[in-house]
Amino acid sequence: SIMSVILLVEFPLPCPKTIVDPEIINRNSFKARNVLITVAWFCLWQVLVAVDAIQRRIQTSPLFPHPHDLVIALWSFSIITISRVLCIHLFQWIISKCHQALGQERRDRFASQLWKVLHHSIATAIPIYLLKNEIWFPPGSGLPSDLYQNFPHCPNITGLRDFYMFQLGYCISALLVTLQQPGRYSYLSMVIHHAGLFSLIVISYFVQNAVYVGVSVMWMHDCTDVFVSLTRLSVDLAWSVPTGLS
């Protein structure tokens, strides 16, 4: 994980639509720090309030989420960060050879969006495979009650919690990438977005064990993010048909 952070610092990813005013950048950085501090305190407060209940649940069911599951999130963070840095720089090189007339900003955005297409496609496909036999997952019953089987001791599904921690690793990686880009126009909103997502994943997993609901929500977001990234990617290349379809 430390090597992944070093790689991210040494080979920074492209920053879209950069702001050059240092006063605005400093103000955004200050607000982002306040957001992160607030989210950290909120997560800590939620865990401290529920620590007794969490310990009882772990004693009742050995399969209840445990803090050592964070190891999977760290592995995920490392793999995702390394692949993101390497793939984006590779995609930048490829697009520069294939479309030399394309501006640098568009090449950077193309490379970033292509990596997101790959990631969100994988994140969409994994739950479909893991949950193909579950009645609560599409195209199942559609009944909300099926999401809460024996809650909070929901039956464990092979690989599902690993996928949940995989998503946490992506969230951490995306947050660190965003924090490296205080000059981007959407900097503060994206920091709030990723910090909020981090708190939701941590609390829903370690405190509530709402894995079924959480995976359903994340899956719906990943499905749509594939088409969002495809649209941004094809717009930069002036591909009218793929843009219209996506």
Side-chain angles (χ1 to χ4, degrees):
S1 298
I2 295 174
M3 292 300 296
S4 302
V5 174
I6 294 174
L7 182 66
L8 196 59
V9 172
E10 292 297 325
F11 300 94
L13 298 177
C15 177
K17 297 182 178 180
T18 305
I19 298 174
V20 296
D21 190 339
E23 183 178 348
I24 297 178
I25 293 176
N26 291 334
R27 186 163 62 246
N28 284 345
S29 299
F30 176 75
K31 292 179 179 179
R33 284 195 295 269
N34 289 340
V35 169
L36 294 177
I37 292 173
T38 302
V39 169
W41 274 110
F42 177 74
C43 292
L44 181 61
W45 170 68
Q46 285 286 313
V47 172
L48 291 177
V49 168
V51 65
D52 292 336
I54 294 173
Q55 290 178 347
R56 288 196 301 270
R57 290 173 181 177
I58 292 176
Q59 293 173 355
T60 303
S61 174
L63 297 178
F64 194 84
H66 196 278
H68 60 52
D69 294 341
L70 283 172
V71 173
I72 302 173
L74 292 177
W75 273 106
S76 169
F77 160 73
S78 303
I79 294 172
I80 288 174
T81 301
I82 293 172
S83 68
R84 186 171 191 167
V85 172
L86 296 180
C87 287
I88 286 180
H89 283 86
L90 175 63
F91 296 154
Q92 286 175 321
W93 179 80
I94 292 175
I95 195 64
S96 66
K97 297 297 182 181
C98 298
H99 291 269
Q100 297 181 358
L102 205 62
Q104 183 63 44
E105 182 180 345
R106 289 195 170 190
R107 289 201 297 266
D108 293 343
R109 188 163 53 201
F110 172 87
S112 298
Q113 295 304 322
L114 181 55
W115 183 87
K116 288 183 180 180
V117 168
L118 296 176
H119 168 77
H120 292 302
S121 298
I122 294 172
T124 299
I126 291 176
I128 294 176
Y129 173 76
L130 295 177
L131 305 174
K132 59 182 181 294
N133 297 321
E134 299 299 321
I135 192 173
W136 52 268
F137 193 75
S141 65
L143 296 176
S145 57
D146 290 332
L147 290 169
Y148 296 92
Q149 303 173 31
N150 197 32
F151 183 82
H153 301 287
C154 300
N156 189 25
I157 299 174
T158 303
L160 189 61
R161 290 179 178 170
D162 295 338
F163 173 74
Y164 218 84
M165 291 295 96
F166 167 80
Q167 291 287 58
L168 179 59
Y170 167 76
C171 177
I172 297 172
S173 178
L175 179 59
L176 289 181
V177 170
T178 303
L179 290 174
Q180 274 195 309
Q181 303 170 340
R184 65 184 294 180
Y185 283 105
S186 59
Y187 173 72
L188 188 58
S189 62
M190 293 309 298
V191 169
I192 294 174
H193 169 78
H194 292 308
L197 177 60
F198 174 84
S199 65
L200 288 172
I201 294 178
V202 168
I203 294 171
S204 65
Y205 185 81
F206 293 104
V207 178
Q208 300 174 341
N209 192 25
V211 176
Y212 292 1
V213 178
V215 166
S216 300
V217 173
M218 288 189 286
W219 182 75
M220 287 187 289
H221 280 77
D222 284 318
C223 287
T224 55
D225 282 340
V226 171
F227 296 99
V228 170
S229 297
L230 276 174
T231 302
R232 292 173 176 169
L233 180 153
S234 54
V235 163
D236 287 330
L237 295 180
W239 292 345
S240 56
V241 175
T243 300
L245 291 175
S246 59

